[in-house]
Amino acid sequence: MSGKPMTFRGHAYRSLDPKGRLVLPTEFRDVILSAGTHGRVILTNFDGCVVGYSLQEWERIEESFQRINMLNRQLRDFQRFFISGAMEVELDKQGRILIPPHLRTYAGLTREVALAGVGRKFEIWDLERFEEQRRKMEESFDLVMDALAQTECDLRL
């Protein structure tokens, strides 16, 4: 490996078992295991889904919260919501993670889920919500591209 962090990409469909365990795609497990943290990840609530981070990435996130303006009520509320929702979980021998009940409830996860790799993190969505998000993006794709063109964003597609 080149020393460059591996990233989560692609998407997969899975089913939660009755205990709330989820088998991660092999590619996602490889990213987690390459981090050298014995298969541990941080899961938290964000944007209507469960988000998973490597421990190293999570430490960077927590560090970044040290730089926010604590006088701003909205930022404090967001920090409280985001960090207090976080739980450390570990891959078991079958490549599963246990999604804690509070996160399953937050994201509306019941049985069928979609996993989406989005670079430094992965997301776990209720399947219907995920498909709805994809439809919305398809419908607004041209508007988003036009908005990106008006920014300083150096996105290369």
Side-chain angles (χ1 to χ4, degrees):
M1 195 167 77
S2 67
K4 182 180 176 188
M6 294 178 68
T7 60
F8 297 100
R9 65 176 64 94
H11 68 279
Y13 301 104
R14 296 285 192 272
S15 296
L16 290 177
D17 74 10
K19 294 181 180 178
R21 294 176 299 200
L22 176 65
V23 177
L24 292 181
T26 303
E27 299 82 10
F28 288 18
R29 288 184 297 214
D30 290 346
V31 173
I32 292 165
L33 294 171
S34 74
T37 56
H38 307 289
R40 295 188 320 251
V41 295
I42 299 293
L43 300 179
T44 194
N45 36 229
F46 185 70
D47 211 16
C49 67
V50 175
V51 182
Y53 296 94
S54 70
L55 287 179
Q56 291 91 341
E57 187 61 35
W58 183 254
E59 288 170 359
R60 286 191 277 277
I61 290 167
E62 285 186 336
E63 167 62 29
S64 70
F65 272 102
Q66 301 305 311
R67 296 186 296 273
I68 67 170
N69 181 350
M70 293 305 290
L71 297 177
N72 183 311
R73 171 59 129 187
Q74 288 180 310
L75 293 177
R76 288 194 320 266
D77 289 345
F78 175 71
Q79 178 184 26
R80 184 175 304 112
F81 172 77
F82 189 68
I83 293 181
S84 71
M87 298 290 292
E88 184 176 314
V89 299
E90 189 171 344
L91 281 170
D92 68 13
K93 291 179 180 165
Q94 289 78 39
R96 300 174 301 189
I97 56 172
L98 175 64
I99 303 172
H102 76 280
L103 293 175
R104 292 194 311 263
T105 299
Y106 167 78
L109 304 180
T110 53
R111 177 122 175 96
E112 300 304 314
V113 301
L115 291 104
V118 288
R120 301 173 306 126
K121 63 186 176 187
F122 65 92
E123 299 173 339
I124 306 166
W125 287 87
D126 168 75
L127 182 57
E128 288 182 24
R129 281 189 189 177
F130 180 73
E131 293 300 334
E132 179 61 25
Q133 289 293 326
R134 289 181 60 86
R135 275 191 295 280
K136 286 180 184 176
M137 184 66 245
E138 288 171 7
E139 291 169 4
S140 63
F141 188 83
D142 288 336
L143 291 173
V144 172
M145 295 304 289
D146 289 345
L148 280 170
Q150 301 301 316
T151 69
E152 298 294 319
C153 180
D154 186 25
L155 183 62
R156 301 180 190 275
L157 302 176

